[in-house]
Amino acid sequence: MNGNKGLFSIWLAVLGVAIVAGLFTTVKLFAQGHGLFNANDVLLWTLPLGVYIFLALSSSGLTLLSGLPLVFGVQKYEVFAKRLVFLAIATLCGAFVAIGLELGSVFHMIYIVFSPNLSSPIWWMGAIYSLELVVLIVKFWRMHRGDWHSGFSKNLGTASFILALVAPLMIGSVFGITESRVTYFGPVMSIYCLVMAFLSGTALFNLYSLVVNRVMGNGVAAELYEEFAVIFAYAAGVVVVFTLLKYAIESATVVPEFLVYREFEHAFGTVGVFHSEVLLGLFLPFVLLLIPSVRKTAFGKILTSALILLGTLFMHMEILLAGQSHPVGPKAEQYPGFISYFPSIWEILVFVFALAIVLLLYTLGERYLKLAEAPE
Amino acid sequence: MPRYAMIIDLQRCVGCGACSIACRNENNVPEGIYWSNKITETSGTFPNVRYHYIPTLCNHCEYAPCVRGCPTRAMHKLDNGITMHDPKKCIGCKYCEFNCPYGVIYFNWGKPHKFWQDTRAAIRGGTASPEEVVREVGGKAVPYYNPEREATLPGIRPTGVVEKCTFCDHRVKKGELPYCVEACPADARIFGDISDPNSDVRRLLGKFRPFRLREQLGTGPHIFYIRGYNPAAYQPTKGGV
Amino acid sequence: MKAEKRTFWKDVLDDLKMSRRSFMKRASAATGGAIALGGAFTPSFRTLAEASEVSGKGVGSWIASTCQGCTSWCSKQIYVVNGRAVKVRGNPSSKVNVGAGCPRSHLALQQVYDPDRIKTPMKRTNPGKGRNEDPKFVPISWDEALDTIADKIMELRNNNETHKYMLMRGRYSYMRDILYDRMTKIIGSPNNISHSSICAEAEKFGPYYTEGYWNYRQYDVMNARYVLIWGADPLAANRQVSYYSAVWGDVIGRAKIAVVEPRLSATAAKADEWLPIEPGHDGALAAAVAHTILVEGLWYKEFVGDFSDGQNRFVPGAEVDPETFEEKHTNGVVRWWNLALRDKTVEWAAERTGLPAEQIRRVALEYGNAAPHAISWVGGGPVMQVRGGYTSMICHALNGLVGACDNVGGSLVSNKEYTTEFPEPDEFMDEIAKVGKKHEKIDQRGRKEFPCINEGKPGSAVITNNAADGILNDDPYDIKVAIAYMNNFTFSCGQPERWERALSKIPFLVHITTNASEFSWFSDILLPDVHHMFEKWGYVKSIGNGYRHVTLMQPAIKPMWESKIDETEIPWLIAEKLKERGFDNLLRHYKIYIDPETGKEPNNAQEFALYSLKYATQNLWDPAKYKGGDKFNGWEDLLKAGVWNSDPYPFRKRWSNMKTKTKKFEFYSETLKEALEKHAEKHNTTVDDILETCFYQARGELAFVPHYEEPFTNGDQSEYPFLFVDHKSRLNREGRSANCPWYYDFKDVDPGDAAWDDVAKINPVDAESMGIRTGDPIRLTSPTGSITCTAKLWEGVRPGTVAKCYGQGHWVYGRLASKDFGKVPRGGNNNDLIPAVYDRLSGSTVRHAATRVKIERV
């Protein structure tokens, strides 16, 4: 116990350092502007936005998962419900940190309220995630107070589920409705984001539960985790099919933008026609999940979840960067034909900051908020 | 209300870039940001080579993707057709820049006009520092600062927001032509009201088959190009097999 | 802070109101939903509110002045707001530049406010002089600076060696003679050395020895049917860039344009024909064009005349009897044919020029068929070469052949203007001065090996770049005191390293300059100069569009720091100091430059600057002295307009009334013959010997007709495989804009060039054979120097050549111009590659087809 306490203090200290570094980054960004990022007028959106997408979608995925007990009434999963909702809140907070530090003038956000543009997917995205955060917090509050089944509480669950369904579609449409950037696959991008959200949310939950199980040793019936592993495998399967479809289209089309896209050196390298992050972060864990002897071990579960979680982050980054790596129009006069990218220390610190916030909230929640609670 | 549009006559254009430099000057645009720009191309192989030049600027699209995507309506259309930006509402999400099919929107990544903030002198006591020049001369951030830009937009846009060509709305409002039009030594830019059947713009659009950039996207650009940059004559030929 | 907050919330409130309104509007326009989705169509109320606040045409005023960023010398207007220069535009009152501007004129704003301009006079505190010696300049007062200068001049006068005083001139206005001529003469020195020959004297050589006109031409492009351009790039550089840019869209619609140049220039990009010639062989192409025109009978008979029986005897190879041809306004067309053209077939030219024979034939025929509206436009490229004088003649002679000379749609000279010379200095030159002035000039002009025959007078043209050798070798003597203004020979002359050594050798050197330049680095005293366009009183003359204008410069803003006017205020102040030391001749001379309006004599430097300008331009603004052109009601009237325009061009008035020996357009140049013979006689030798000494190939009669000479190029082809092609930038302000941020941000307006870089353009075929890619850092090395820059693969360069724009490679001048001020250049200076060689007939410094280079990756 003492040893645990010591580890816990160290853990908090690490998070504290990360958060202090994050606050310093925040001040620095406000003082000097986003030139601190390795971004430019061609490659506009970089790691902080990738982290935002990753965390926001994961949060939606967690909320979707929470829908199994909370919306569809699968009672055996109620034991996960409170934790899922809390994780969704915490992860979304991290997402907000990332996007907050990505925006150039975050204080002008007030105009999201005062000067809304209903034709803007960014507006909808912002509005929905803000609402989602509120709904999730209220829902969590109700659950924490023991109110699981009142009409209000149920409606909150349904609302959060619907919002979590729509939010990834909006993130997808931010890219998808940009007619001039066809490599984002138009409306298909929305569906892609939705399935990716479910996948990364599931991966995150699996990984988290197993780690917490190890650390805290609380006893949830093992078969429930087995079922989750199967859900996880299905989710991965959907994304695998989707990804193969994308590859098929990409390699068959002769639309000029795709031809250029095909030629450029991919951020994380390729093996044959496949991107490394897809091979290692999707196909490999998917294959492992298909092998029962791997899937059934704790190590196998942790490995596959970790791989997929990292894989989704890298896949989002790859897609984000690839669509912006070539200058548009006259910007080709000013910038090279292909922009390569490696994050600056400040972008990494934004990532670390967001992650630290998420992890701190997890830690505090796990310690104080009785996340394993379920209705009697 | 007029709807403003511009014709660029590529035959008259000499590719000198005076439009872009004058634009920098008029709008106090910092280094690295081009409200007015160009697309160049050298085609062919020696000795059959050609150099092409297409001046570019904000297309002030009828259906502007930047306007549609802007979450706070910081990017908006004026009644006269000008696509305008209000930096006060801009949250710096850069989505307009991401959305623009023409690469004409830029983000202020840092403090503008850094060159002029340097406090070091090349020869101590004998030459000035850029910062000292600005102080001595007045102006704002740059010694040749144009205060008239302030009429409709901050004279220099702050860090963290985007900026782009406004068709010199502050000049148009006073009955003056956009400065790139005035500064074009070749009279290659013709500006006017496209809703007026008697305007020069309409007259020329009726005379030539104009083209617009990436027309297939359906954005409805208000920059029209007529004629060719290098209309060279050649000996008539049917080619051969 | 509080106020800021209030406006913030006020904005929010305003916007709230606005969005409520706009929602209502949307609701009421339910059917317009599609439009609503297409974008927020409601205008910002704030914008509209502000609209009513802005009234009138602006807060500043436009003040007329003149731009000398290139030698177009356009009349300009400067927008001044609260004493600050904010914008620059073409002066609509000028008929020469017709209100048009250009890209480089805007950069002037970054020149006048250049932080690296020197603020005060400075003196050197490190006595050691050299490229690697930091002068350790410290600020001093004007008084101390002028005292020191006056002491040094008095020392020369007291020792009877005033000829060891030297004045070097760079960019000038027509106030120049006050400092350049009068002051030098009254002090007593022959050594006023201008920069003219590093610019384009060879370009004037051809027109002078054919039609008796030593100056730049103007071209009636709007009436031309064919424009054949030789190494000129009027859309980018020199001269009347503004005017030609304004009309070029019409010109290409009316005329065929052919551009002869090894690199795809800005003008070539908009031409019908690009003739990427092997550098140095332009004379061969011109010979073939002339040959073809004669053989095909396309010469303009009303100007040249015809065979008396109408039968064309110009048959390839055949000698023609001059008696059979009746010439009208020309001299010696048959002798020209016999001496230089009869065997110069298209095929012969194709072999030398690297151009296809059919292209040469096509150009020749179409050019001839367009007579007389067929311009042959001679630029610096083909003529600023070792044997360029003759190329200048043969290219320009085509204008005679097709009758374009002085004709509608042709090649024109200057219109008349009526400014007055400053008072003569003679009566203020004392004995010391008269003796001093008789010495030979330091640039050695007029020696056997330097004929330098400006306007038929041997030894009359400056040979700027050779002055360095004169100084270095104490030949004819040593220079002890030198003043230089707005020049930078250590950068702008070929083989500038010689200038570094020469200047280091001068015991006392004063530099009047805006920026601490490569020249300043070797100086003892620096004086801060005004910027010509914003801070100076002066005037220049220029031609174009069939007009000549005289355009004024005036101080539109208060001069920056302690700068003073180079050509007027500074000589006056020196004159005052000389008077204090007992030598008042110069000040007495300057005192006679009286204000024509008030009759007052100048009492201080500022008055002198203004009065001398009013004095020189009186005939233009004083109605009582009106002689022609624009009419004004007095000085203020002219000053407000800023420019005087001449009468329109009088076409064909010079036919058979030219300033040549025969008064005709000379294909056989009696004028050149006389000049050469005069020079030979002076040196007791033959014309052939002179030509041999000066590296020309012609012997005998050939020397007196326009003809082709093979290029004379430095460097062995096996060691230095590439011919170096130098060219100018649209943004160069005579090599002085390298410290302007806009220069770099827009450098790619020069076809093939790159922003924020200094590139050598190489044909991909050549580059690939060396494994060089775009962006590779490379070193170019010639027999006389080497530079580093960046490789750029470009199809617009002739294989076997490497083209690079002049302008970068400064190692001082400013924080942007140099990479490390005083130490490391940014990019490379072309002149480091170019040897100090000359077209000795005109005195021109060579910069084209001058050298071969090798390319290495670094």
Side-chain angles (χ1 to χ4, degrees):
Chain A
M1 198 66 195
N2 264 349
N4 261 359
K5 206 162 193 180
L7 277 179
F8 187 69
S9 313
I10 292 171
W11 173 239
L12 283 185
V14 168
L15 291 180
V17 168
I19 286 170
V20 168
L23 291 173
F24 178 67
T25 306
T26 309
V27 172
K28 186 104 175 148
L29 278 170
F30 278 123
Q32 291 182 21
H34 286 69
L36 295 171
F37 290 0
N38 280 348
N40 55 44
D41 283 301
V42 174
L43 192 59
L44 301 163
W45 287 338
T46 52
L47 181 63
L49 195 89
V51 171
Y52 162 74
I53 294 172
F54 168 70
L55 291 176
L57 289 181
S58 299
S59 164
S60 299
L62 291 163
T63 312
L64 290 174
L65 263 185
S66 78
L68 291 178
L70 297 179
V71 179
F72 301 106
V74 184
Q75 268 186 1
K76 57 181 171 183
Y77 294 148
E78 277 186 338
V79 63
F80 298 129
K82 191 172 174 190
R83 179 173 282 133
L84 278 167
V85 171
F86 181 76
L87 291 184
I89 293 171
T91 310
L92 192 51
C93 288
F96 276 122
V97 167
I99 190 85
L101 294 185
E102 214 286 330
L103 294 179
S105 303
V106 73
F107 292 124
H108 296 180
M109 287 275 280
I110 188 126
Y111 286 101
I112 292 265
V113 181
F114 292 132
S115 179
N117 181 7
L118 303 185
S119 61
S120 165
I122 293 229
W123 186 86
W124 283 104
M125 180 182 80
I128 288 171
Y129 271 121
S130 305
L131 193 60
E132 169 95 307
L133 186 62
V134 173
V135 171
L136 284 174
I137 287 171
V138 177
K139 173 70 187 174
F140 184 80
W141 170 64
R142 290 318 304 161
M143 287 158 86
H144 194 63
R145 301 296 296 268
D147 170 15
W148 285 67
H149 299 300
S150 74
F152 178 55
S153 185
K154 276 195 163 168
N155 287 340
L156 284 172
T158 311
S160 66
F161 182 81
I162 291 171
L163 289 171
L165 212 55
V166 178
L169 300 180
M170 279 302 145
I171 290 192
S173 67
V174 165
F175 298 93
I177 69 158
T178 306
E179 301 90 335
S180 57
R181 296 180 190 263
V182 294
T183 57
Y184 284 118
F185 280 97
V188 173
M189 186 72 181
S190 287
I191 312 294
Y192 179 76
C193 281
L194 184 60
V195 295
M196 284 288 276
F198 192 71
L199 179 63
S200 63
T202 313
L204 177 59
F205 183 67
N206 277 359
L207 183 64
Y208 180 83
S209 308
L210 291 162
V211 170
V212 167
N213 241 350
R214 289 256 146 154
V215 176
M216 320 259 294
N218 53 357
V220 172
E223 67 270 17
L224 289 184
Y225 286 117
E226 293 311 318
E227 289 177 22
F228 260 83
V230 174
I231 294 174
F232 184 42
Y234 277 121
V238 172
V239 176
V240 165
V241 170
F242 215 105
T243 305
L244 287 173
L245 201 63
K246 268 181 60 184
Y247 275 126
I249 297 170
E250 263 169 29
S251 54
T253 180
V254 288
V255 171
E257 285 88 343
F258 275 106
L259 296 182
V260 179
Y261 177 88
R262 230 186 277 159
E263 265 176 32
F264 102 94
E265 318 160 36
H266 292 275
F268 312 110
T270 55
V271 180
V273 297
F274 297 113
H275 299 163
S276 330
E277 76 279 4
V278 171
L279 279 178
L280 297 174
L282 181 65
F283 292 176
L284 173 66
F286 177 64
V287 170
L288 290 175
L289 281 171
L290 293 182
I291 305 168
S293 59
V294 177
R295 188 174 67 220
K296 285 197 169 129
T297 63
F299 174 73
K301 287 196 188 78
I302 290 181
L303 178 69
T304 49
S305 311
L307 280 176
I308 291 219
L309 199 59
L310 276 176
T312 48
L313 173 62
F314 279 88
M315 281 153 73
H316 283 306
M317 280 308 296
E318 163 73 30
I319 290 170
L320 183 67
L321 297 175
Q324 307 176 81
S325 56
H326 301 277
V328 174
K331 281 182 184 167
E333 300 280 316
Q334 194 182 352
Y335 290 96
F338 164 69
I339 310 278
S340 59
Y341 171 73
F342 191 83
S344 75
I345 180 71
W346 304 106
E347 291 168 89
I348 292 169
L349 283 174
V350 169
F351 181 22
V352 168
F353 188 24
L355 211 60
I357 292 289
V358 171
L359 293 175
L360 180 70
L361 289 174
Y362 287 179
T363 309
L364 298 176
E366 209 56 60
R367 194 160 183 95
Y368 302 112
L369 296 174
K370 298 179 221 136
L371 296 183
E373 237 177 12
E376 327 272 274
Chain B
M1 236 334 173
R3 295 291 283 186
Y4 290 117
M6 187 187 289
I7 292 177
I8 298 181
D9 180 348
L10 295 174
Q11 182 171 323
R12 298 203 69 89
C13 174
V14 294
C16 72
C19 44
S20 300
I21 304 176
C23 169
R24 279 278 175 85
N25 188 190
E26 174 71 30
N27 296 297
N28 309 313
V29 178
E31 265 67 72
I33 296 184
Y34 300 79
W35 287 17
S36 164
N37 208 345
K38 65 186 186 305
I39 296 170
T40 61
E41 188 192 347
T42 303
S43 60
T45 48
F46 182 90
N48 301 306
V49 191
R50 274 297 176 178
Y51 172 78
H52 306 269
Y53 186 106
I54 299 178
T56 60
L57 65 160
C58 174
N59 276 293
H60 297 279
C61 302
E62 191 70 43
Y63 307 103
C66 59
V67 169
R68 184 187 58 195
C70 178
T72 57
R73 289 190 285 145
M75 196 68 83
H76 57 278
K77 294 295 282 184
L78 300 182
D79 279 353
N80 58 16
I82 290 175
T83 302
M84 190 63 196
H85 185 247
D86 180 356
K88 273 189 207 145
K89 290 186 187 173
C90 178
I91 64 171
C93 70
K94 304 178 280 285
Y95 190 39
C96 50
E97 195 175 348
F98 185 86
N99 252 325
C100 174
Y102 304 107
V104 300
I105 305 178
Y106 285 80
F107 183 68
N108 281 289
W109 296 99
K111 283 211 180 107
H113 301 293
K114 272 220 184 70
F115 177 87
W116 294 101
Q117 288 150 24
D118 195 344
T119 52
R120 290 164 306 174
I123 302 174
R124 199 177 307 158
T127 62
S129 73
E131 182 269 343
E132 189 184 352
V133 173
V134 179
R135 234 183 323 119
E136 168 83 11
V137 176
K140 199 159 148 188
V142 289
Y144 40 83
Y145 175 78
N146 174 22
E148 290 172 13
R149 180 61 267 190
E150 292 168 8
T152 62
L153 200 65
I156 291 166
R157 278 62 58 192
T159 312
V161 299
V162 299
E163 62 178 80
K164 66 156 199 72
C165 157
T166 69
F167 252 176
C168 278
D169 64 307
H170 60 296
R171 292 174 58 88
V172 170
K173 192 177 281 179
K174 289 188 286 180
E176 293 173 340
L177 290 168
Y179 199 54
C180 60
V181 177
E182 179 174 312
C184 176
D187 292 341
R189 289 172 181 235
I190 300 100
F191 182 80
D193 178 6
I194 200 172
S195 67
D196 172 5
N198 297 317
S199 66
D200 287 345
V201 174
R202 280 285 286 277
R203 193 171 50 79
L204 284 169
L205 286 179
K207 196 165 174 122
F208 300 98
R209 166 77 176 87
F211 74 90
R212 297 183 282 177
L213 295 177
R214 304 185 77 175
E215 220 155 341
Q216 75 282 8
L217 294 177
T219 50
H222 273 202
I223 308 296
F224 297 82
Y225 298 88
I226 58 171
R227 305 206 282 177
Y229 185 72
N230 36 31
Y234 64 97
Q235 295 291 104
T237 170
K238 287 190 190 294
V241 285
Chain C
M1 190 66 202
K2 216 167 182 183
E4 226 169 67
K5 231 177 196 164
R6 203 164 46 235
T7 55
F8 175 76
W9 285 110
K10 192 175 160 289
D11 284 345
V12 171
L13 272 173
D14 286 351
D15 291 323
L16 254 180
K17 280 183 223 157
M18 182 197 98
S19 34
R20 211 175 57 226
R21 268 171 200 259
S22 74
F23 274 127
M24 276 153 58
K25 201 167 169 185
R26 273 172 205 232
S28 65
T31 49
I35 302 171
L37 275 177
F41 58 87
T42 39
S44 157
F45 264 60
R46 188 166 344 104
T47 313
L48 287 183
E50 274 165 6
S52 55
E53 284 161 27
V54 180
S55 55
K57 282 277 183 185
V59 294
S61 48
W62 291 97
I63 296 173
S65 193
T66 299
C67 179
Q68 292 192 294
C70 71
T71 38
S72 292
W73 293 352
C74 294
S75 189
K76 290 284 172 200
Q77 289 181 331
I78 300 157
Y79 195 58
V80 180
V81 178
N82 295 330
R84 269 186 319 116
V86 169
K87 293 190 256 188
V88 172
R89 70 178 182 193
N91 187 346
S93 302
S94 164
K95 288 179 182 164
V96 171
N97 52 268
V98 298
C102 75
R104 65 165 64 75
S105 61
H106 303 285
L107 269 58
L109 293 164
Q110 294 190 329
Q111 286 186 307
V112 67
Y113 294 132
D114 184 340
D116 300 320
R117 279 182 70 174
I118 57 173
K119 289 159 67 176
T120 71
M122 287 193 259
K123 73 174 177 196
R124 169 185 211 97
T125 57
N126 174 8
K129 288 183 182 180
R131 169 96 176 230
N132 297 318
E133 296 280 350
D134 182 341
K136 299 216 176 351
F137 285 121
V138 296
I140 53 171
S141 67
W142 267 101
D143 227 32
E144 182 185 343
L146 293 164
D147 279 333
T148 317
I149 295 166
D151 284 343
K152 293 287 178 184
I153 293 173
M154 288 312 291
E155 214 175 291
L156 293 182
R157 287 195 52 86
N158 296 337
N159 296 334
N160 282 337
E161 45 181 18
T162 53
H163 57 288
K164 297 187 173 178
Y165 167 82
M166 178 185 188
L167 188 282
M168 282 169 269
R169 184 184 89 192
R171 176 45 53 224
Y172 62 90
S173 79
Y174 284 95
M175 311 303 281
R176 63 190 183 190
D177 281 346
I178 293 168
L179 172 63
Y180 173 73
D181 183 86
R182 306 301 191 261
M183 179 163 137
T184 314
K185 280 181 179 159
I186 291 171
I187 287 172
S189 170
N191 291 313
N192 48 358
I193 302 296
S194 86
H195 72 290
S196 301
S197 69
I198 61 171
C199 177
E201 293 306 272
E203 222 188 277
K204 303 170 182 171
F205 185 86
Y208 187 79
Y209 291 104
T210 50
E211 58 167 302
Y213 173 69
W214 187 275
N215 213 328
Y216 301 102
R217 282 74 54 213
Q218 53 178 327
Y219 301 101
D220 187 17
V221 288
M222 287 296 269
N223 293 306
R225 289 288 170 270
Y226 206 102
V227 185
L228 175 55
I229 298 178
W230 304 88
D233 195 3
L235 296 184
N238 254 359
R239 318 173 68 96
Q240 295 338 114
V241 175
S242 53
Y243 169 68
Y244 294 121
S245 296
V247 297
W248 211 251
D250 292 325
V251 173
I252 53 180
R254 295 168 190 215
K256 271 207 175 163
I257 318 283
V259 174
V260 186
E261 168 133 14
R263 144 201 90 102
L264 187 72
S265 65
T267 311
K270 286 184 81 74
D272 296 278
E273 300 264 6
W274 176 40
L275 299 109
I277 196 164
E278 180 83 19
H281 294 281
D282 306 72
L285 177 60
V289 171
H291 172 94
T292 308
I293 286 171
L294 290 173
V295 169
E296 301 291 332
L298 298 174
W299 71 90
Y300 190 60
K301 316 246 166 16
E302 283 180 45
F303 186 66
V304 182
D306 202 353
F307 289 98
S308 6
D309 56 2
Q311 187 206 332
N312 188 359
R313 289 177 180 78
F314 294 125
V315 177
E319 177 122 7
V320 175
D321 178 2
E323 295 303 313
T324 57
F325 198 97
E326 271 179 51
E327 269 186 287
K328 279 187 166 170
H329 302 291
T330 61
N331 178 61
V333 67
V334 173
R335 289 169 89 182
W336 183 29
W337 164 266
N338 288 338
L339 287 165
L341 297 179
R342 61 189 168 124
D343 50 355
K344 302 297 183 286
T345 60
V346 162
E347 289 70 24
W348 170 88
E351 264 173 47
R352 277 148 191 87
T353 57
L355 300 170
E358 48 296 8
Q359 189 182 26
I360 299 175
R361 184 184 316 282
R362 180 171 70 238
V363 168
L365 291 178
E366 290 179 355
Y367 178 74
N369 274 313
H373 311 299
I375 295 166
S376 175
W377 183 321
V378 187
V383 303
M384 294 302 276
Q385 303 188 0
V386 174
R387 292 159 178 164
Y390 283 113
T391 314
S392 180
M393 280 179 84
I394 194 165
C395 292
H396 187 74
L398 297 179
N399 287 309
L401 211 49
V402 296
C405 173
D406 209 39
N407 204 350
V408 175
S411 166
L412 314 179
V413 301
S414 304
N415 309 52
K416 271 207 181 108
E417 57 84 22
Y418 309 102
T419 55
T420 24
E421 297 278 321
F422 293 118
E424 286 302 324
D426 305 60
E427 55 178 292
F428 300 91
M429 289 170 68
D430 59 13
E431 234 8 76
I432 300 173
K434 278 178 186 152
V435 173
K437 201 196 159 293
K438 287 205 178 96
H439 284 80
E440 189 188 1
K441 291 193 185 228
I442 193 70
D443 64 352
Q444 305 173 346
R445 70 182 79 165
R447 290 187 183 180
K448 180 180 164 191
E449 65 275 24
F450 291 117
C452 305
I453 39 176
N454 177 345
E455 305 203 2
K457 298 181 285 288
S460 60
V462 63
I463 180 154
T464 317
N465 202 10
N466 196 51
D469 295 292
I471 296 167
L472 273 174
N473 302 325
D474 292 343
D475 181 9
Y477 42 78
D478 56 325
I479 292 293
K480 287 190 168 168
V481 175
I483 299 179
Y485 79 99
M486 286 314 285
N487 66 330
N488 195 9
F489 298 158
T490 26
F491 183 83
S492 58
C493 288
Q495 246 178 303
E497 166 275 337
R498 294 168 313 111
W499 276 101
E500 294 176 4
R501 285 185 288 125
L503 297 184
S504 301
K505 210 171 150 286
I506 298 177
F508 185 72
L509 177 62
V510 179
H511 198 209
I512 305 171
T513 182
T514 54
N515 290 58
S517 68
E518 286 76 8
F519 194 98
S520 312
W521 209 244
F522 301 89
S523 303
D524 297 273
I525 294 221
L526 303 187
L527 299 178
D529 198 358
V530 292
H531 189 282
H532 67 267
M533 186 163 160
F534 302 92
E535 303 168 330
K536 177 173 176 171
W537 286 113
Y539 78 97
V540 292
K541 315 175 239 187
S542 191
I543 52 172
N545 190 28
Y547 288 93
R548 188 174 207 173
H549 71 196
V550 174
T551 166
L552 304 184
M553 300 152 193
Q554 60 175 314
I557 61 170
K558 186 173 131 308
M560 287 295 286
W561 317 115
E562 293 179 32
S563 55
K564 294 197 187 298
I565 302 175
D566 43 22
E567 289 170 329
T568 48
E569 290 181 349
I570 292 174
W572 172 277
L573 292 169
I574 293 173
E576 281 184 339
K577 291 291 183 188
L578 290 175
K579 185 190 171 195
E580 283 172 20
R581 283 158 181 74
F583 177 62
D584 67 352
N585 298 26
L586 189 57
L587 192 64
R588 279 195 291 114
H589 172 73
Y590 288 159
K591 289 247 183 191
I592 63 176
Y593 294 50
I594 53 156
D595 181 350
E597 261 185 327
T598 60
K600 270 170 56 181
E601 69 175 31
N603 278 315
N604 57 47
Q606 288 89 341
E607 283 180 2
F608 178 62
L610 177 61
Y611 295 176
S612 50
L613 175 59
K614 289 168 81 173
Y615 180 97
T617 56
Q618 186 184 3
N619 291 343
L620 310 184
W621 55 261
D622 189 344
K625 301 239 172 184
Y626 179 75
K627 292 194 161 87
D630 288 357
K631 208 166 182 176
F632 293 96
N633 291 324
W635 166 250
E636 289 297 328
D637 199 20
L638 172 64
L639 188 61
K640 192 158 174 276
V643 63
W644 169 93
N645 298 291
S646 71
D647 291 315
Y649 194 83
F651 292 105
R652 292 182 293 272
K653 287 282 186 295
R654 293 172 58 249
W655 285 14
S656 288
N657 190 24
M658 290 174 176
K659 285 184 180 149
T660 52
K661 208 163 166 240
T662 59
K663 294 196 181 306
K664 310 269 185 187
F665 190 101
E666 294 181 342
F667 296 124
Y668 182 94
S669 183
E670 297 286 355
T671 313
L672 180 58
K673 185 177 185 181
E674 186 183 59
L676 283 173
E677 280 171 352
K678 214 189 281 175
H679 186 66
E681 205 175 300
K682 188 170 133 199
H683 296 283
N684 289 320
T685 183
T686 60
V687 170
D688 281 1
D689 179 39
I690 297 291
L691 292 170
E692 191 177 349
T693 310
C694 297
F695 305 106
Y696 294 93
Q697 290 179 307
R699 299 291 181 270
E701 290 280 281
L702 189 61
F704 313 129
V705 294
H707 65 272
Y708 162 69
E709 301 222 343
E710 287 165 2
F712 184 93
T713 303
N714 208 20
D716 176 55
Q717 183 160 10
S718 56
E719 196 184 343
Y720 303 100
F722 295 95
L723 271 165
F724 184 69
V725 175
D726 168 273
H727 69 93
K728 307 293 181 252
S729 169
R730 307 186 115 127
L731 300 184
N732 276 4
R733 296 182 57 84
E734 301 193 314
R736 294 192 181 90
S737 46
N739 205 41
C740 303
W742 287 340
Y743 182 82
Y744 299 97
D745 237 16
F746 293 101
K747 186 66 184 67
D748 57 349
V749 295
D750 293 313
D753 273 13
W756 292 96
D757 210 344
D758 194 16
V759 300
K761 297 176 283 285
I762 310 168
N763 189 286
V765 171
D766 291 332
E768 272 149 27
S769 72
M770 293 180 290
I772 287 174
R773 288 183 303 180
T774 293
D776 288 348
I778 50 169
R779 181 185 298 114
L780 302 182
T781 308
S782 80
T784 58
S786 102
I787 57 173
T788 50
C789 58
T790 309
K792 168 78 185 274
L793 274 60
W794 198 48
E795 288 289 352
V797 221
R798 186 179 179 84
T801 69
V802 48
K804 190 174 162 297
C805 187
Y806 168 77
Q808 298 186 55
H810 283 281
W811 47 274
V812 277
Y813 212 82
R815 64 193 62 219
L816 271 182
S818 57
K819 208 185 221 166
D820 185 359
F821 187 81
K823 297 185 185 88
V824 187
R826 178 190 293 276
N829 179 7
N830 288 2
N831 282 324
D832 283 336
L833 301 174
I834 298 174
V837 291
Y838 309 93
D839 169 46
R840 290 162 184 252
L841 287 183
S842 65
S844 297
T845 286
V846 166
R847 59 172 186 262
H848 298 287
T851 190
R852 297 185 151 276
V853 294
K854 64 179 170 194
I855 305 173
E856 299 157 294
R857 242 194 321 200
V858 288

